[in-house]
Each structure stands twice: as C-alpha cells, then as structure tokens.
Amino acid sequence: MGVEGARILPDGPVGTTHDFILISDSRFVTANVAEFDGLVKALIGGKLPIVWYFLTHLRVARNLLWSLRHHSNPLAIRYFSVVPSLLGDKAVKYSLTPVDVSQAPVPKNSSNDHLREAMVDRLTSRDAVFDFSVQFQVDPYKMPIEDPGITWDEALSPFRKVARLTIPSQVFDTPERREFGDNLSFNPWRCLPEHRPLGGINRARRQVYQALSNSVMTTTKLPGMSRQQSRQS
C-alpha cells in the first residue's frame, strides 16, 4: 500500500496498492494454461480421466503431490512467486523466507482452523519476520519464463535479499478484520509497469482474477462504500 505511480491494472481512483502473490511452493503444478485446463477437466471428469491424465503427465502428478504437503504454521513457511515478473529490464522471481523457521508438528486431531490458531498464538507473543528476495534469470533455457512448472535453480542464480517484511505482534482474529479480509481482492497485474508479470500463466491470471473479483464484488458491498469502491477494494 502507498506505492505511487500508475498501475497496469487500475486500483480505484487513488491506485496506490501493489500486489505480490506468493505460495508455499517454488513451482506451478502445470507448464502452461492448456495443461492446467486438461488437469481441471480430468479432476472433474471422474476416476478414469484422472488416472489417465496423471499417467500421461507425470511431472504434473509429481508437482501436485508435492504441493499438498501440510504445514503447522503459515508464519514459518517459505513462499515463492512461482511465476516471473519484470524488474526493470530483467526477469525475476520473488521469495519470502521466514527468519524463524521453527514449526511444531501438524496436530493429529487439529481443528479446521488450526493454521489460524497457530498464527494467533504466534502474533500474540512476538513479531513474524521474513526476508524478501529476488532471483534473477541468468539462463533462458534452464530458467524458462513460459514454464513455471520448473523451479529456477538457486545454485545457478541465488536469491538476493532486498528487503525485510515484519508482521508486528497484534490481535487480528476479530470479526472486523475477518470482514476486511473477506472483501479484499488480489491480482498480480495490480502493479507498476516496471514490475509487469511475465508468461502465459500470468496472462491468464489477469483475466481470471479480474473475472472472479467482479463476480464476487458486484454482489458484496462493505458498509459505507459505494458499489464502484466495493468492486475495486
């Protein structure tokens, strides 16, 4: 928030939000949009289409299986952008690395909200601190832009720390904060042009994220907000 400059994707009349979207894996499940579309069709098509798809797409099966591993605390996980973006005239990927990586084992009889509960417990007593790093593309073949299913080798191009993110100790699990979170929208294209997302998956995300946001926000209105403001929140 508070980032000055024109966005690729408008963010209301002021437009000072720059979104960074990261996940707890270093690679995407599929290589491209067509492969992802095939995966979705297989998953909703029944057992035989699922088995056939994974037998003919072994890397997708491996990536999907690896992405399903469990964690006990979201504040002790390393995060990755997975897909590349511009940094000036260079292609880069982002990463957030927790300074404190200690995690308790995943509870065997945990509640459905055990991840939220772990964050509540952590932030009640101390800050959560992450190092924000960028990884430059140095080889277009071993570090492709159009195939996010491949992890860029850190031995070939290590991540370089450029900032530190601190989430201060706080009480966040309140009805007001939940409502605020439920009405936020995110889009990787809500960014400055010099940080433009790259690759086919990102091009698809621009349309999908915007369509999802429009479909939800046109029927959801925060107290004290106009409909137009609600759509852009």
Side-chain angles (χ1 to χ4, degrees):
M1 298 179 179
V3 179
E4 299 298 332
R7 303 289 170 287
I8 296 176
L9 181 69
D11 185 30
V14 179
T16 60
T17 300
H18 186 125
D19 288 347
F20 292 90
I21 302 176
L22 300 94
I23 66 172
S24 58
D25 204 339
S26 62
R27 58 196 166 202
F28 194 61
V29 176
T30 63
N32 50 50
V33 176
E35 198 172 65
F36 185 78
D37 181 58
L39 172 62
V40 173
K41 289 178 179 176
L43 292 175
I44 64 176
K47 292 182 179 180
L48 287 179
I50 292 174
V51 171
W52 175 249
Y53 183 87
F54 286 138
L55 287 176
T56 55
H57 297 80
L58 294 179
R59 196 185 76 171
V60 174
R62 181 202 66 190
N63 287 357
L64 181 61
L65 181 63
W66 183 252
S67 72
L68 297 178
R69 64 194 187 281
H70 293 171
H71 301 280
S72 63
N73 193 328
L75 298 176
I77 303 172
R78 188 179 182 189
Y79 293 93
F80 302 87
S81 63
V82 177
V83 286
S85 297
L86 277 179
L87 180 57
D89 61 350
K90 306 292 185 181
V92 299
K93 289 186 178 182
Y94 308 125
S95 178
L96 273 175
T97 304
V99 173
D100 180 3
V101 297
S102 60
Q103 287 203 58
V106 178
K108 293 183 178 180
N109 298 314
S110 59
S111 71
N112 291 333
D113 290 328
H114 77 272
L115 294 177
R116 178 194 298 272
E117 293 163 358
M119 290 193 294
V120 168
D121 181 66
R122 168 67 180 276
L123 291 178
T124 297
S125 58
R126 63 191 191 279
D127 299 346
V129 182
F130 292 82
D131 288 334
F132 184 82
S133 306
V134 296
Q135 180 186 32
F136 286 88
Q137 182 198 46
V138 296
D139 187 318
Y141 299 102
K142 295 181 179 180
M143 307 170 73
I145 288 176
E146 294 294 341
D147 185 357
I150 295 176
T151 299
W152 286 6
D153 189 353
E154 293 188 45
L156 190 63
S157 177
F159 277 92
R160 304 181 185 182
K161 176 185 172 182
V162 296
R164 173 157 283 189
L165 170 67
T166 299
I167 303 174
S169 177
Q170 61 188 279
V171 176
F172 72 89
D173 191 20
T174 66
E176 294 78 15
R177 300 303 294 178
R178 290 190 188 191
E179 182 179 19
F180 176 78
D182 286 343
N183 287 282
L184 286 175
S185 69
F186 305 91
N187 194 311
W189 289 84
R190 189 177 291 136
C191 64
L192 301 175
E194 53 266 39
H195 299 290
R196 175 173 58 86
L198 301 173
I201 291 293
N202 268 327
R203 291 190 291 272
R205 292 169 85 194
R206 179 173 185 170
Q207 306 302 321
V208 172
Y209 277 57
Q210 191 63 48
L212 289 173
S213 178
N214 288 341
S215 66
V216 173
M217 300 310 290
T218 52
T219 58
T220 303
K221 186 177 178 183
L222 289 173
M225 294 180 67
S226 68
R227 181 170 295 275
Q228 179 62 28
Q229 288 174 316
S230 180
R231 286 177 179 175
Q232 296 294 341
S233 67

